[in-house]
């Protein structure tokens, strides 16, 4: 086997690795978008229950004994709330915390 053959084989091997890397990058981007969607959903749900109860952030702070800064960060998607925090908000707004997994089949 000459040098040209060896170079050809290594080129083929390197080309096989590229789609795997691109696939990992695509998956990472998808996961980041999906995570952002979850945080947005949490924010929307908190706002919905506040509106339904005619509560302000200040009211929620007083009832839950949480800081307004923390509640604001949750609503703005700046922090990931713990389940215990979400349960505390649910209790304060007379709602039930529900976490579910939905099928992604049929989505583009």
């Amino acid at each position: 086997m000459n040098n040209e053959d060896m170079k050809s084989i290594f080129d083929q091997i390197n080309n096989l690795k590229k789609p795997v890397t691109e696939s990992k990058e695509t998956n990472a981007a998808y996961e980041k978008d999906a995570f952002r969607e979850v945080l947005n959903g949490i924010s929307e749900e908190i706002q919905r229950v506040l509106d339904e109860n005619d509560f302000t952030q200040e009211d929620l702070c007083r009832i839950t004994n949480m800081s307004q800064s923390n509640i604001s960060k949750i609503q703005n998607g700046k922090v990931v709330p713990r389940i215990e925090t979400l349960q505390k908000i649910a209790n304060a707004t007379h709602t039930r915390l529900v976490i579910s997994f939905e099928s992604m089949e049929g989505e583009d």
Side-chain angles (χ1 to χ4, degrees):
M1 192 177 282
N2 65 31
N3 285 343
E4 194 62 36
D5 291 337
M6 291 295 287
K7 183 183 180 318
S8 175
I9 290 171
F10 282 118
D11 286 343
Q12 290 175 17
I13 290 171
N14 285 334
N15 287 335
L16 290 175
K17 292 180 183 177
K18 288 181 184 175
V20 172
T21 302
E22 292 170 3
S23 176
K24 285 180 183 177
E25 290 171 0
T26 301
N27 286 342
Y30 173 78
E31 287 176 9
K32 184 176 181 182
D33 289 344
F35 187 69
R36 175 61 48 202
E37 187 176 325
V38 169
L39 290 179
N40 287 340
I42 290 170
S43 174
E44 290 170 6
E45 283 300 303
I46 291 172
Q47 189 59 54
R48 182 184 64 77
V49 295
L50 289 178
D51 292 344
E52 285 179 359
N53 288 282
D54 286 327
F55 285 171
T56 64
Q57 277 187 358
E58 292 83 10
D59 294 329
L60 191 58
C61 295
R62 190 173 22 80
I63 296 167
T64 61
N65 201 28
M66 294 170 56
S67 71
Q68 183 178 2
S69 172
N70 193 34
I71 291 172
S72 177
K73 287 176 185 175
I74 292 169
Q75 283 197 277
N76 290 316
K78 303 290 184 198
V79 298
V80 179
R82 295 174 39 189
I83 292 175
E84 292 86 355
T85 301
L86 295 176
Q87 184 60 56
K88 190 184 281 191
I89 293 171
N91 290 342
T93 57
H94 312 288
T95 56
R96 184 170 59 107
L97 177 62
V98 177
I99 299 172
S100 65
F101 295 89
E102 298 175 357
S103 175
M104 294 175 20
E105 291 182 18
E107 290 186 9
D108 290 358

